[in-house]
């Protein structure tokens, strides 16, 4: 059975297997019973009551039959799909390369990736269970006994989190990991607690974190601390009617002004213009909506935006990407799989072998956000650059492969093949795509 046929089956299944009809018929039955109850209650003599009960019996029976046949249809389509799946998998079995499984020897790394993913998603309970169960046989940790002193648990109050986000240090076996799961877990617990405050429009934990890490953040060129302080100013500016904070002198325009005076000074060098705009908006406070500052004060998405840049910076200071690598790898893999299956089955039919070990023999279309290492083809040699022969950028902005540049150069000097500029070879900088 081909992929196309299977897709057809999925479509058929989706169309046929709806429980909606059954649910509607059950609702109708309930309506029937409710109205019969009212009829009986309203009846003024026993004869009318028993008559309506007799009438009810037939109608209920008919309705039950309708429901049964609704369910029968769903059941039938489930059976058909089950059979189709069985056929599809019997036939595809063995078309993927089974003799070479590059993942086989990497169980530890894969487990690590899964544990990391769970930790960074804030699923601490699931992560600790997974880490416990992924231990090689015989090394299973002793479960902590009741009399053992248990360290205080960390409760993450995340509105979307299931209650199992509660973790204790004793849940994580200390001898388990080469990747310091406990330290990471604490870090992520911090991250989720700050994020949950952000969700409730409380910026202070995030500002505190950004201030404590301001040196590292600035070195990365991040504006996070200023963005957070700016939002705090705007939030106070809007006053108690919007921010629902107590109507004291620390809120509203006076609160915003005091906050700005106290906190904006440190950002003057880099963000003077924005600070000026924020201060000038004070004058327009009575009708901000028709002022030139209207857009800065639109906070509809502001909290979500700072939350996502906070997550990105927080992860990057931990040396992690903002997106879970496992998530990216699995998604990219799922997108690439149809092509891979097609390719291998064509090869099988032609009896040819997979010859390239480190790269795919075909293009895999992926969304831009999932492209990490673009390739570069040297315009001079027309060859793809490699680690040994990396792309270099000339001071004029043109890029070619290092070997091509060396071939073009006369002694230590070169002439750019694409523009009139000349220079010395050592000024060419290696670039990483
Ligand atoms: Zn040039």
């Amino acid at each position: 059975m081909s992929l196309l046929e299977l897709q057809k089956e999925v479509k058929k299944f989706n169309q046929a297997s709806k429980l909606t009809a059954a649910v509607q018929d059950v609702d109708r039955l309930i309506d029937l019973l409710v109205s019969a109850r009212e009829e009986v209650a309203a009846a003024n003599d026993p004869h009318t009551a028993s008559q309506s009960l007799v009438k009810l019996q037939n109608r209920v029976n008919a309705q039950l039959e309708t429901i049964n046949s609704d369910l029968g249809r769903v059941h039938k389509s489930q059976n058909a799909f089950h059979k189709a799946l069985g056929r599809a998998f019997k036939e595809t079995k063995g078309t993927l390369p089974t003799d070479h499984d590059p993942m086989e020897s990497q169980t530890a790394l894969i487990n690590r990736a899964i544990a990391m993913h769970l930790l960074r998603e804030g699923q601490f309970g699931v992560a600790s269970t997974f880490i416990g169960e992924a231990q090689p046989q015989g090394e299973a940790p002793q479960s902590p006994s009741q009399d053992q002193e248990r360290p205080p648990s960390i409760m993450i109050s995340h509105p979307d989190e299931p209650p199992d986000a509660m973790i204790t240090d004793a849940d994580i076996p200390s001898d388990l990991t080469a990747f310091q799961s406990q330290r990471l877990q604490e870090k992520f617990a911090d991250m989720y607690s700050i994020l949950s405050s952000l969700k409730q429009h409380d910026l202070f934990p995030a500002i505190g974190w950004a201030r404590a890490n301001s040196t590292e953040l600035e070195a990365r060129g991040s504006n996070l601390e200023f963005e957070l302080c700016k939002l705090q100013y705007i939030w106070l500016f809007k006053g108690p009617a919007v921010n629902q904070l107590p109507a004291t002198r620390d809120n509203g325009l006076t609160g915003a002004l005091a906050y700005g005076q106290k906190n904006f000074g440190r950002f003057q060098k880099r963000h003077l213009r924005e600070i000026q705009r924020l201060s000038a908006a004070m004058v327009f406070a009575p009708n901000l909506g028709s002022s030139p500052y209207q857009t800065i004060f639109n906070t509809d998405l502001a909290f979500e935006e700072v939350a996502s840049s906070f997550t990105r910076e927080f992860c990057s200071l931990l040396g992690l990407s903002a997106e879970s690598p496992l998530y990216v790898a699995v998604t990219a893999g799922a997108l690439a799989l149809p092509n891979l299956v097609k390719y291998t089955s064509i090869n099988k039919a032609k009896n040819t072998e997979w010859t390239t070990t480190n790269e795919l023999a075909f293009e895999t279309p992926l969304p831009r956000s999932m492209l990490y290492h673009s390739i570069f083809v040297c315009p001079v040699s027309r060859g793809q650059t490699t680690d040994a022969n990396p792309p270099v950028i000339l001071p004029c902005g043109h890029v070619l492969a290092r070997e091509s540049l060396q071939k073009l150069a006369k002694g230590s000097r070169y002439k750019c093949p694409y523009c009139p500029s000349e220079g010395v070879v050592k000024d060419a900088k290696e670039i990483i795509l």
Side-chain angles (χ1 to χ4, degrees):
M1 176 183 278
S2 74
L3 188 63
L4 203 71
E5 278 170 274
L6 188 59
Q7 277 169 341
K8 244 188 226 159
E9 289 291 335
V10 173
K11 209 170 162 192
K12 222 160 79 185
F13 177 57
N14 278 338
Q15 280 165 351
S17 69
K18 293 269 172 0
L19 277 171
T20 341
V23 171
Q24 280 168 354
D25 281 324
V26 170
D27 282 343
R28 256 176 235 134
L29 178 57
I30 293 170
D31 289 345
L32 203 66
L33 290 170
V34 169
S35 68
R37 188 177 62 191
E38 281 162 8
E39 221 174 279
V40 171
N44 32 25
D45 66 297
H47 182 67
T48 331
S50 73
Q51 224 174 12
S52 48
L53 278 179
V54 171
K55 251 194 284 167
L56 180 68
Q57 202 173 13
N58 284 336
R59 290 165 73 189
V60 167
N61 275 342
Q63 193 63 21
L64 280 175
E65 236 159 73
T66 322
I67 294 170
N68 262 339
S69 76
D70 290 337
L71 291 175
R73 269 197 301 279
V74 174
H75 195 68
K76 201 173 144 202
S77 78
Q78 275 174 346
N79 265 345
F81 187 62
H82 181 77
K83 275 187 199 141
L85 268 185
R87 277 199 307 277
F89 281 101
K90 208 191 268 164
E91 283 167 40
T92 48
K93 211 175 186 181
T95 56
L96 283 169
T98 45
D99 48 338
H100 170 62
D101 179 5
M103 302 290 209
E104 202 180 356
S105 53
Q106 308 291 351
T107 320
L109 276 181
I110 293 166
N111 284 344
R112 203 187 109 137
I114 296 171
M116 276 295 295
H117 177 79
L118 293 170
L119 282 174
R120 57 183 300 153
E121 293 291 308
Q123 303 281 351
F124 302 125
V126 186
S128 73
T129 307
F130 176 80
I131 291 169
E133 290 183 5
Q135 290 260 73
Q137 286 296 314
E139 281 174 47
Q142 297 287 312
S143 58
S145 57
Q146 288 302 314
D147 47 48
Q148 210 177 326
E149 201 179 302
R150 288 172 78 96
S153 56
I154 310 164
M155 181 68 198
I156 292 94
S157 58
H158 204 268
D160 302 339
E161 286 293 323
D164 74 350
M166 196 159 103
I167 47 136
T168 66
D169 293 338
D171 290 337
I172 301 280
S174 57
D175 61 336
L176 161 81
T177 51
F179 64 99
Q180 294 177 295
S181 71
Q182 195 179 320
R183 190 184 72 87
L184 274 172
Q185 180 171 324
E186 281 162 14
K187 293 272 182 197
F188 282 117
D190 285 348
M191 184 176 100
Y192 279 99
S193 111
I194 294 174
L195 278 176
S196 100
S197 302
L198 275 180
K199 251 195 183 159
Q200 287 147 23
H201 300 142
D202 177 9
L203 290 151
F204 285 113
I207 293 174
W209 178 86
R211 197 151 291 171
N213 293 285
S214 63
T215 323
E216 291 93 330
L217 288 174
E218 261 165 49
R220 290 175 37 83
S222 160
N223 294 333
L224 181 65
E225 191 189 346
F226 176 66
E227 292 301 323
L228 289 165
C229 288
K230 180 178 133 185
L231 185 55
Q232 176 64 23
Y233 172 89
I234 291 171
W235 196 234
L236 289 174
F237 192 106
K238 297 201 168 227
V242 176
N243 63 30
Q244 286 169 11
L245 295 169
T248 61
R249 280 189 61 77
D250 294 335
N251 197 358
L253 293 185
T254 46
L257 192 64
Y259 185 82
Q261 279 167 342
K262 193 166 159 223
N263 291 285
F264 284 162
R266 52 195 273 122
F267 304 111
Q268 262 183 10
K269 238 188 195 159
R270 268 171 76 182
H271 303 287
L272 185 62
R273 230 189 99 69
E274 257 196 292
I275 294 170
Q276 283 169 342
R277 282 164 64 85
L278 289 169
S279 322
M282 280 279 168
V283 184
F284 288 90
N287 59 345
L288 204 59
S290 54
S291 81
Y293 303 106
Q294 183 199 0
T295 48
I296 337 177
F297 283 81
N298 182 352
T299 51
D300 290 351
L301 296 170
F303 282 92
E304 272 166 47
E305 278 166 13
V306 291
S308 84
S309 56
F310 165 76
T311 311
R312 201 168 48 240
E313 299 297 347
F314 194 100
C315 288
S316 81
L317 289 198
L318 287 180
L320 303 169
S321 57
E323 289 263 28
S324 153
L326 184 65
Y327 167 79
V328 175
V330 169
T331 313
L335 289 172
L337 199 56
N339 278 355
L340 193 66
V341 172
K342 205 162 150 192
Y343 180 81
T344 45
S345 58
I346 290 172
N347 266 11
K348 192 134 199 150
K350 286 198 211 146
N351 240 340
T352 48
E353 286 283 312
W354 187 301
T355 48
T356 48
T357 46
N358 287 322
E359 57 185 89
L360 289 176
F362 49 86
E363 277 274 345
T364 309
L366 287 179
R368 268 198 85 80
S369 60
M370 290 188 176
L371 299 178
Y372 292 94
H373 293 285
S374 316
I375 54 160
F376 177 76
V377 176
C378 173
V380 176
S381 68
R382 310 222 171 263
Q384 194 173 319
T385 51
T386 58
D387 286 346
N389 179 25
V392 291
I393 184 164
L394 306 174
C396 59
H398 289 112
V399 181
L400 45 152
R402 185 179 289 285
E403 280 173 13
S404 308
L405 178 66
Q406 278 156 356
K407 274 183 205 152
L408 279 172
K410 292 191 173 75
S412 63
R413 294 193 65 80
Y414 71 86
K415 148 94 184 60
C416 175
Y418 295 99
C419 73
S421 67
E422 292 178 27
V424 268
V425 173
K426 70 173 172 44
D427 287 342
K429 285 201 176 68
E430 185 177 329
I431 57 170
I432 293 158
L433 296 171

